[in-house]
Amino acid sequence: MVGDQPAITINRNLIFISSLPLRDQQGASYARILAYATAVTRDPGITVWLLSTKYPDIDRKNIQEVGERIYICGNAEQKTGNNSFTERTSGKLFGKKTFRKFLENVDQFLDAIAEKKTVLVYPSINNFSDERELLRMIKSKGIPVFSERNELNVGKMLNYPFPKNLLKKLLFAIYYPFKYFDHYRQDKLVANYDGNIVISRNMEERIRRLNPNILRIPILADIKKFSSVNPERKEDHDLIHLGFTGYLTMKKDSIGELIRAVRILKNKYGIDNVRLNLYGTGYRDTLLKIYRLIDKLHLKENVVLHGQVPSEQIPEILSQQNILLLIRSDNLQTRFGFSTKLAEYMASGVPVLITSVSDNTTYVKDGENGFVSCSHKASDTAERLFEIISRKDYLDESIGKKARETALEHFDASKYSDMLINFFFQNSF
């Protein structure tokens, strides 16, 4: 029983457990979780519950319905608004008490559900010891528990932004080896789950060696959100809008290289009517680097940081761009991951420029339903953009139309409903 409420009696329940701030209802990861939830609740006998370590107070008094039979549980996270290196590190070092409270509440929450239940951990929890403890608790109840692995933990660690402050550098140097080893052990935990969902072929091949019960689901999007939005093509004399949405990172999404590419477009190719629109937030240290780079390159009129925007505004924002950018370097994180934003980019019908990392070129064919740059480097990105702009390829509506068709064929969550339900509830009758 949870609080003073009677036990929940529903045929089948899928419980997501995540370290992400799900109640914010923002970001690519939340969109993917919601896509899973929407797909499985096509079966009227299934209800989905979303639980997050970010707000451990889980009871029937703070449940929010975000879709038909889809509920977020827990009080909203109390934010300080200061996403700095010091805050992030202290939160990871001293968050054990909060996680203990979360674990106790999840224990009670699972006991209150009387019918069939399955747990999906997405994508991993805080640290190795916490995830292992959570896994053991769930398994002790005889509940099937799965995980979703969309990138390697050690890959994320390698792409952490390094602080500039001397004291912070020293603290990071001490902290880094321990955290790297912790992430390494977390990646091995896939062997202990009843099964794992993966996002890319590379991840599938790697995890299959540890656990053969595996399901590959590519990037997903709510394609219906984009069906009523038509790309607003700009006239030749207007600004050419280059768009990016998502968390702003230097190493993963090459934001610094994108900014430098705009400078090259102006100085080398004489194209100064471009505007790079960056929608999203990032670590405070990273945002400071971005602002400094814009000032250094004198690009205040050409690069605009719009901040984080509500997810419901994303379809309209994407439609207002001329070219969408997904320029990633080839590293351990991007090689095994697969950017969810590509699904939304293609669903918007606006041409996208990508690099050939992970499964990108499995779905994007250069000149047919999008464009491909040979690398993430500013010079290569600028050269490819110059070709697209000078030939006015970005105005070819057939490219956007084919991109939408690709998204509908491969990235529509509803197409994976039966596959997901069978995977999560394989022993249900």
Side-chain angles (χ1 to χ4, degrees), residues 121-188:
V121 176
Y122 179 106
S124 61
I125 300 297
N126 305 328
N127 54 60
F128 170 77
S129 61
D130 286 352
E131 186 170 349
R132 181 178 59 180
E133 193 172 358
L134 174 67
L135 191 55
R136 285 175 175 172
M137 184 269 286
I138 297 169
K139 281 184 167 289
S140 71
K141 298 176 180 294
I143 301 173
V145 55
F146 300 82
S147 82
E148 208 262 25
R149 296 305 206 219
N150 50 46
E151 56 190 9
L152 292 176
N153 281 296
V154 292
K156 290 188 291 184
M157 190 67 197
L158 291 172
N159 279 346
Y160 274 11
F162 284 74
K164 284 192 172 183
N165 178 277
L166 186 59
L167 178 59
K168 290 180 180 180
K169 278 185 178 180
L170 178 61
L171 291 173
F172 192 81
I174 297 170
Y175 167 77
Y176 187 92
F178 292 99
K179 192 60 182 176
Y180 184 89
F181 181 62
D182 186 82
H183 277 338
Y184 173 80
R185 292 197 295 170
Q186 270 193 289
D187 286 333
K188 297 294 183 182

Side-chain angles (χ1 to χ4, degrees), residues 50 151 181 266 372 383:
L50 309 180
E151 56 190 9
F181 181 62
K266 290 185 64 175
V372 181
E383 181 179 2

Side-chain angles (χ1 to χ4, degrees), residues 85-135:
F85 167 79
T86 305
E87 184 183 63
R88 298 195 307 271
T89 305
S90 62
K92 291 168 184 175
L93 291 175
F94 304 111
K96 195 71 178 178
K97 183 178 179 181
T98 301
F99 184 76
R100 177 63 55 187
K101 182 180 180 183
F102 173 77
L103 200 64
E104 291 173 357
N105 287 336
V106 170
D107 190 4
Q108 296 177 30
F109 188 87
L110 293 176
D111 287 344
I113 299 178
E115 299 300 324
K116 176 74 177 179
K117 47 191 173 277
T118 294
V119 172
L120 176 64
V121 176
Y122 179 106
S124 61
I125 300 297
N126 305 328
N127 54 60
F128 170 77
S129 61
D130 286 352
E131 186 170 349
R132 181 178 59 180
E133 193 172 358
L134 174 67
L135 191 55

Side-chain angles (χ1 to χ4, degrees), residues 104-293:
E104 291 173 357
N105 287 336
V106 170
D107 190 4
Q108 296 177 30
F109 188 87
L110 293 176
D111 287 344
I113 299 178
E115 299 300 324
K116 176 74 177 179
K117 47 191 173 277
T118 294
V119 172
L120 176 64
V121 176
Y122 179 106
S124 61
I125 300 297
N126 305 328
N127 54 60
F128 170 77
S129 61
D130 286 352
E131 186 170 349
R132 181 178 59 180
E133 193 172 358
L134 174 67
L135 191 55
R136 285 175 175 172
M137 184 269 286
I138 297 169
K139 281 184 167 289
S140 71
K141 298 176 180 294
I143 301 173
V145 55
F146 300 82
S147 82
E148 208 262 25
R149 296 305 206 219
N150 50 46
E151 56 190 9
L152 292 176
N153 281 296
V154 292
K156 290 188 291 184
M157 190 67 197
L158 291 172
N159 279 346
Y160 274 11
F162 284 74
K164 284 192 172 183
N165 178 277
L166 186 59
L167 178 59
K168 290 180 180 180
K169 278 185 178 180
L170 178 61
L171 291 173
F172 192 81
I174 297 170
Y175 167 77
Y176 187 92
F178 292 99
K179 192 60 182 176
Y180 184 89
F181 181 62
D182 186 82
H183 277 338
Y184 173 80
R185 292 197 295 170
Q186 270 193 289
D187 286 333
K188 297 294 183 182
L189 275 176
V190 293
N192 296 2
Y193 284 92
D194 292 294
N196 297 279
I197 298 178
V198 297
I199 200 168
S200 68
R201 288 179 170 84
N202 289 335
M203 187 69 82
E204 179 181 20
E205 182 180 340
R206 187 183 186 101
I207 290 182
R208 193 179 295 281
R209 303 168 193 165
L210 299 171
N211 190 331
N213 191 21
I214 201 165
L215 176 65
R216 178 165 56 84
I217 301 288
I219 51 180
L220 300 176
D222 184 356
I223 306 298
K224 293 179 182 177
K225 291 195 306 183
F226 297 88
S227 60
S228 60
V229 177
N230 292 314
E232 300 178 7
R233 300 299 183 189
K234 312 294 182 183
E235 298 295 333
D236 290 355
H237 58 271
D238 286 345
L239 285 173
I240 299 170
H241 290 266
L242 313 176
F244 173 91
T245 61
Y247 210 73
L248 304 178
T249 63
M250 291 295 200
K251 293 184 179 179
K252 183 180 179 182
D253 285 301
S254 306
I255 297 301
E257 294 295 317
L258 290 181
I259 295 171
R260 293 184 182 93
V262 171
R263 175 67 182 273
I264 294 171
L265 277 175
K266 290 185 64 175
N267 289 1
K268 181 176 180 179
Y269 297 107
I271 300 178
D272 56 7
N273 64 327
V274 294
R275 175 170 291 168
L276 174 59
N277 297 300
L278 302 174
Y279 294 90
T281 185
Y283 292 139
R284 190 184 70 170
D285 309 339
T286 302
L287 293 177
L288 288 174
K289 289 178 182 177
I290 291 172
Y291 282 116
R292 287 172 186 148
L293 183 60

